[in-house]
């Protein structure tokens, strides 16, 4: 099972890395909007790009953060019944959920590749403002984000499957899990 | 394509989704799985593309840009230490009154609510600072625990509000109008809490004894302590003034708020790389969760509407010829029940697309309904078994406050929230007067 | 019983056109003896309006009713089709351009390349500017912030008039709070529906383009060709009627508001400013022409027509 643990370390590490890097986009978002405010009120010359650029930054940031949230158990779920079950039943439930999730995300991935490819093929640009930015970069972010989420979903599925089968393995995340369960993380602010 | 009546479609989609949630599926997964299954079975492969339409539509929305920034702002304020200052101020100002610290706590909650778009900021920071301080001065533990949890929940009602932004995204109302509509009901609810604390401490002074004479300060000191209001006052003025008074779009105001909160924290020397990256990462996790729910829920409701079941609720109302107000009350009861088990984001994404067309059809103002919805969500934060402020409180409360204390302390405040809700149902002007005045 | 055909018809309009939608659905159902049914979806219900071409090509929806400028990033003739400033001055003139002078043929080719079939057309209505303070001419706009999109924004830019984009639902607050000073979005009816008259009352006819937008109906080729001759005929007729109803409703509604003269103060931009706008629009025409050979042909048709009408030399 050593190799499985190594795989988990790698997969969790990937989601962690992506999440930490993209988390800085928030500061960029603040910057872009502040520039627009200054340009509009102090220079009386609203930018033609701030509105669409901030929307694109937002969209890319949020959808890419999906795998990061999954890696940290931050996707909202109701544990009213789940928490009452013994670990192997929980593993069984998770196997079903992430097994179906695998199918859904695989389909989503396939569709999103087409979506982005179509946009590249037609050299698509935005028709909303005079800025007219190309749309294929933001549309390409979707298959990347869905792919990353799919990878993390595979890790969750395998973890659940082993738990369900009662096969012991060393989970690199278990220490954090303990912590989360005990404190219910006050920082997950709502 | 199979021919199914709306009732059957509704049953298939909602039962499978709730079933998945029951076995612990993350909400986004439950919605995507049952949405995609239903789409494929009843709509054909073309229906699957709606998942992509939903993803792109959710990402391509300027309105939602405000979400991460208000969340970031709330997180920064929570760690800025501003609550310490505010509590020190109310201790000096009203500590001498019976129940004064409780009243002051509600006021602090209202101030933080007017800065932050989320509910946890006040609950967590006051749970850490104000709760032990009031316990030390022999305040009744259930009274103060309930006060902090209920006061914290004001975060979504007093603008800015993350929930209102999501509601606006779904109902296509204007964010500015919703913000304006939440202000007076929010202050009214704060007033109800204050009145409740004062009355109870009047009847039984042991619940909130005045601070000892030795701790009290003179008038000059009191006046000086008001300086702690400068920072928050400026921030509230700029952000809310910007939106409601009309200088910036909500998204731009959220950027000013985020930068302002960072400035306040920096002036209090609370900002370093570790704090900043931790706040940014929490923002990323929350947005990763939120946006995937949004994508999945938008997809789910598109499939539902696409299958021709969108008029189900409307048909039910027509068939049983329910009175408009009975329908609204039924919806609010459903919110109360859902609020016991589900997360507020889950509730908004599942119900609002379903309810809004009906509310509109019945001739009600969707801005008014937004306030009713948020008021219901306030209770959802306090009702067991699933309530965020119960969790936050449990995670920060000192040992002497038991879980039973926490649950029991919430009950009277839930009753007060229902009173507030009833007032807004009976007198819609409480919510609608300010937006009609401003816009 | 005969097999029922159900079609997903997606419009970009909201609830305001529900009555005409019902009429279309009922007509189709009756005329086909119940064998053809339309499932009607309003703007944004299933697919965003700027994604219509893709959605129709893939069969997510069967028929879409929208405006070419929304998807001009995908179909480059879309802007010309929707209406360039100065292109036509009446619905009759526009109809002749599309149907008799060959525009529709060129446009249908462009859509076929993207995997959809052009099956109908609607003629919009007024598209002018609404401002908080009266404008006496173009120069007054230079100190204002105007909400405008696409080609209109480009033309205003030529006069150093700052434009911004805001979604329709934010126009009211944008105007009432001064984020913007004016908007170019539609005609009197649209402005009244968004309640904009409560915040901005000065409606100025730009005399640049009328109708201000042209509507496009596209269908999935497999679905369309798979229909029986009879069904196709019933459907075409019903869609044409839907388009005509919308056009008539907008025109009458606008005229009523103009005649009543209550909620807006109407004025017309000075003739020399209209001429300046039309001249500036030529740059936009040439930009569009440069995009492809087909676009160049379409622009040629517009130029010839404008010369024949004496608007261009
Ligand atoms: Na708030
Ligand atoms: Na609850």
């Amino acid at each position: 099972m050593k190799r499985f643990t190594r795989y988990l370390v790698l997969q969790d590490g990937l989601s962690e890395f992506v999440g930490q890097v993209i988390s800085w986009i928030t500061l960029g978002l603040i910057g872009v909007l502040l520039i627009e405010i200054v340009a509009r009120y102090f220079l009386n010359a609203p930018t033609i790009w701030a509105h669409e650029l901030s929307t694109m930054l937002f969209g890319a940031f949020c959808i890419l953060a999906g795998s990061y949230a999954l890696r940290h158990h931050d996707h909202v779920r109701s544990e009213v019944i789940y928490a009452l079950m013994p670990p192997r039943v929980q593993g069984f439930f998770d196997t079903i959920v992430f097994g179906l999730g695998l199918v859904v995300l695989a389909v989503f991935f396939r569709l999103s590749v087409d979506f982005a490819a179509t946009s590249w093929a037609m050299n698509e640009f935005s028709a909303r403002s005079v800025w007219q930015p190309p749309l294929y970069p933001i549309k390409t972010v979707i298959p990347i984000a869905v792919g990353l989420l799919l990878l993390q979903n595979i890790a969750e599925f395998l973890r659940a499957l082993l738990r369900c089968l009662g096969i012991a393995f060393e989970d690199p995340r278990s220490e954090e899990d303990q912590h989360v369960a005990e404190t219910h993380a006050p920082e997950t602010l709502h | 394509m199979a021919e199914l009546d709306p009732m059957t479609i509704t049953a298939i989609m909602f039962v499978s989704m709730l079933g998945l949630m029951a076995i612990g599926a993350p909400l986004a997964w439950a919605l995507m799985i049952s949405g995609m299954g239903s789409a494929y079975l009843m709509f054909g492969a073309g229906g699957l593309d709606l998942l992509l339409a939903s993803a792109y539509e959710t990402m391509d929305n300027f309105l939602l840009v405000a979400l991460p920034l208000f969340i970031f702002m709330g997180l920064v304020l929570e760690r800025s230490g501003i609550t310490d200052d505010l509590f020190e101020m109310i201790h000096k100002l009203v500590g001498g009154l019976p129940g004064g610290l409780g009243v002051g706590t509600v006021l602090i909650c209202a101030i933080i609510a007017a800065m932050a778009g989320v509910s946890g900021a006040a609950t967590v920071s006051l749970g850490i600072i104000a709760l032990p301080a009031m316990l030390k001065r022999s305040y009744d533990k259930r009274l103060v625990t309930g006060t902090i949890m209920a006061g914290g929940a004001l975060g979504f009602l007093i603008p800015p509000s993350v929930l209102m932004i999501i509601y606006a995204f779904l109902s296509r109302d204007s964010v500015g109008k919703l913000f304006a509509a939440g202000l007076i009901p929010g202050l009214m609810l704060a007033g109800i809490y204050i009145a409740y604390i004062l009355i109870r401490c009047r009847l039984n002074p042991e619940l909130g004894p005045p601070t000892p004479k030795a701790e009290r300060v003179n008038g000059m000191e009191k006046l000086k302590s008001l300086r702690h209001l400068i920072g928050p006052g400026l921030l509230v003025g700029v952000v809310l003034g910007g939106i409601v008074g009309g200088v910036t779009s909500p998204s731009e105001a959220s950027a000013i708020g985020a930068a302002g909160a960072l400035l306040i924290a920096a002036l209090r020397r609370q900002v370093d790389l570790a704090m900043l990256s931790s706040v940014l990462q929490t923002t990323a996790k929350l947005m990763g969760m939120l946006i995937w729910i949004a994508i999945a829920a938008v997809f789910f409701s598109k499939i539902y509407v696409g299958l021709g079941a969108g008029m189900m609720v409307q048909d039910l109302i027509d068939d049983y010829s329910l009175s408009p107000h009975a329908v609204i009350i039924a919806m609010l009861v459903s919110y109360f029940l859902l609020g016991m088990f589900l997360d507020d984001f889950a509730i908004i994404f599942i119900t609002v697309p379903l309810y809004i067309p009906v509310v509109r059809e019945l001739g009600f103002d969707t801005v008014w309904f937004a306030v009713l919805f948020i008021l219901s969500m306030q209770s959802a934060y306090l009702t067991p078994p699933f309530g965020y402020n119960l969790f936050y409180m449990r995670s920060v409360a000192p040992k002497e406050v038991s879980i039973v204390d926490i649950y029991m302390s919430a009950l009277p405040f839930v009753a007060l929230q229902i009173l507030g809700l009833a007032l807004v149902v009976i007198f819609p002007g409480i919510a609608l007067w300010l937006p009609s005045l401003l816009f | 019983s005969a097999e029922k055909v159900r079609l997903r018809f997606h419009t970009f309009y909201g609830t305001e056109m529900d009555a005409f939608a019902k009429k279309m659905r009922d007509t189709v159902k009756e005329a086909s003896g119940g064998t053809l049914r339309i499932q009607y979806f309003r703007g944004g219900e299933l697919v965003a309006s700027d994604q219509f071409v893709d959605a129709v090509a893939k069969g997510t929806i069967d028929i879409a009713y929208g405006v070419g400028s929304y998807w001009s990033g995908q179909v480059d003739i879309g802007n010309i089709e929707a209406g360039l400033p100065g292109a036509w001055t009446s619905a009759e003139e526009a109809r002749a351009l599309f149907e008799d002078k060959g525009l529709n043929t060129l446009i249908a080719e462009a859509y076929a390349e993207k995997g959809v079939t052009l099956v109908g057309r609607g003629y919009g209505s007024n598209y002018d500017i609404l401002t908080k303070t009266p404008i006496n001419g173009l120069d007054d706009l230079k100190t204002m912030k105007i909400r405008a999109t696409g080609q209109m924004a480009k033309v205003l830019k030529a006069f150093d008039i700052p434009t911004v984009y805001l979604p329709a639902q934010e126009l009211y607050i944008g105007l009432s709070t001064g984020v913007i000073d004016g908007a170019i979005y539609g005609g009197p009816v649209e402005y009244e529906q968004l309640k904009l008259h409560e915040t901005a009352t000065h409606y100025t006819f730009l005399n640049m383009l009328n109708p201000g937008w042209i509507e496009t109906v596209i269908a999935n080729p497999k679905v369309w060709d798979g229909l029986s001759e009879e069904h196709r005929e019933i459907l075409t007729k019903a869609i044409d009627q839907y388009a005509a109803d919308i056009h008539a409703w907008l025109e009458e509604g606008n005229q009523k508001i103009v005649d009543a003269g209550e909620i807006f103060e109407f004025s017309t931009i000075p003739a020399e400013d209209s001429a300046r706008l039309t001249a500036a629009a030529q740059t936009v025409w040439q930009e569009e022409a440069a995009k492809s050979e087909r676009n160049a042909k379409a622009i040629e048709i517009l130029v010839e027509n404008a010369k024949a009408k004496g608007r261009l030399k």
Side-chain angles (χ1 to χ4, degrees), chain B residues 45-179:
Chain B
L48 300 184
D49 272 308
L50 289 176
L51 184 52
L52 222 54
S54 312
Y56 189 61
E57 193 179 312
T58 310
M59 292 165 68
D60 184 30
N61 194 304
F62 184 59
L63 193 67
L64 297 183
V65 172
L67 286 181
L69 302 186
F70 277 133
I71 288 174
F72 174 85
M73 182 181 169
L75 289 166
V76 170
L77 284 173
E78 185 191 343
R79 292 170 205 214
S80 67
I82 203 169
T83 317
D84 298 78
D85 293 349
L86 291 173
F87 191 73
E88 184 199 314
M89 177 188 81
I90 62 135
H91 181 233
K92 285 181 180 161
L93 285 178
V94 289
L97 299 174
L101 291 180
V103 171
T105 300
V106 176
L107 292 176
I108 296 178
C109 285
I111 293 171
I112 297 180
M115 293 190 286
V118 288
S119 263
T123 312
V124 171
S125 53
L126 284 168
I128 292 170
I129 296 150
L131 184 57
M134 289 194 279
L135 292 177
K136 206 174 90 190
R137 288 171 182 82
S138 314
Y139 268 63
D140 178 68
K141 61 184 172 183
R142 288 191 181 172
L143 182 66
V144 296
T145 311
T147 302
I148 292 174
M149 290 194 294
L154 288 172
F156 281 136
L157 188 55
I158 297 179
S161 161
V162 165
L163 264 189
M164 282 183 181
I165 294 170
I166 297 174
Y167 183 99
F169 165 67
L170 295 169
S171 76
R172 304 186 184 198
D173 278 305
S174 152
V175 173
K177 271 193 189 178
L178 293 184
F179 280 10

Side-chain angles (χ1 to χ4, degrees), chain B residues 2 11 19 65 93 133 145 185 217 225 271 307 315 325 331 355 378 425 434:
Chain B
V65 172
L93 285 178
T145 311
V217 297
S225 73
V271 180
L307 289 170
D315 290 349
H325 271 94
M331 288 175 175
Y355 288 0
Q378 306 242 302
V425 171
L434 189 59

Side-chain angles (χ1 to χ4, degrees), chain C residues 51-295:
Chain C
Q51 304 291 314
F52 274 174
V53 176
D54 219 22
V56 169
K58 287 193 173 133
T60 311
I61 50 178
D62 303 308
I63 302 172
Y65 191 101
V67 177
S69 54
Y70 282 11
W71 49 75
S72 63
Q74 296 177 19
V75 184
D76 61 9
I77 206 163
N79 281 329
I80 302 177
E81 181 188 20
L84 297 179
W88 45 74
T89 55
S90 72
E92 293 65 44
E93 190 187 346
R95 195 184 296 272
L97 277 165
F98 281 99
E99 292 179 2
D100 308 331
K101 305 213 168 131
L103 267 190
N104 266 350
T105 320
L106 289 172
I107 293 166
E109 264 175 39
Y111 281 116
E113 275 173 19
K114 303 292 174 191
V116 300
T117 308
L118 179 70
V119 299
R121 197 161 284 302
Y123 296 84
S125 190
N126 289 64
Y127 191 73
D128 297 297
I129 189 167
L130 185 71
T131 48
K132 288 169 74 84
T133 51
I135 45 175
N136 300 312
L138 276 180
D139 292 330
D140 290 354
L141 291 177
K142 287 185 183 172
T143 51
M144 296 183 181
K145 285 177 279 286
I146 306 296
R147 184 271 188 196
T149 60
Q151 306 310 300
M152 202 56 100
K154 269 194 193 164
V155 173
L156 293 183
K157 203 181 161 209
F159 295 94
D160 291 323
I161 297 163
T163 62
V164 287
Y165 171 79
L166 273 186
Q169 84 220 54
E170 292 298 326
L171 287 182
Y172 185 98
I173 301 266
L175 281 168
S176 68
T177 61
V179 171
I180 50 173
D181 305 296
I184 305 181
Y185 174 77
V189 166
E190 280 94 350
Y191 293 145
E192 190 200 18
Q193 288 213 324
L194 290 171
K195 298 189 181 152
L196 299 189
H197 55 281
E198 293 171 9
T199 72
T201 53
H202 300 277
Y203 186 105
T204 308
F205 292 99
L206 294 170
N207 277 347
M208 278 172 81
L209 181 71
N210 191 10
W213 72 94
I214 303 292
E215 293 147 357
T216 304
V217 196
I218 46 177
N220 179 286
K222 248 203 227 153
V223 171
W224 188 254
D225 296 338
L227 292 173
S228 70
E229 194 95 355
E230 192 202 347
H231 276 174
R232 214 156 33 221
E233 209 168 288
I234 292 170
L235 198 55
T236 313
K237 241 175 111 184
I239 293 172
D240 286 349
Q241 188 59 48
Y242 171 78
D245 285 343
I246 289 174
H247 176 69
W249 182 78
L250 287 171
E251 293 280 293
E252 282 162 25
N254 286 338
Q255 198 54 49
K256 234 188 253 166
I257 296 175
V258 173
D259 291 344
E262 280 168 1
I263 56 173
F264 295 120
E265 280 179 46
F266 291 94
S267 63
T268 305
I269 206 164
E272 75 249 31
D273 279 349
S274 274
R276 280 164 74 199
L277 282 171
T278 309
Q282 287 312 303
T283 330
V284 173
W285 287 30
Q286 291 320 314
E287 263 176 44
E288 291 295 327
K291 282 183 186 169
S292 71
E293 234 170 82
R294 189 184 295 124
N295 277 18

Side-chain angles (χ1 to χ4, degrees), chain B residues 47 51 85 104 125 230 285 303 320 342 352 395 397 410:
Chain B
L51 184 52
D85 293 349
S125 53
I230 295 172
K285 285 175 211 159
I303 296 296
Y320 294 91
L342 285 182
V352 167
S395 69

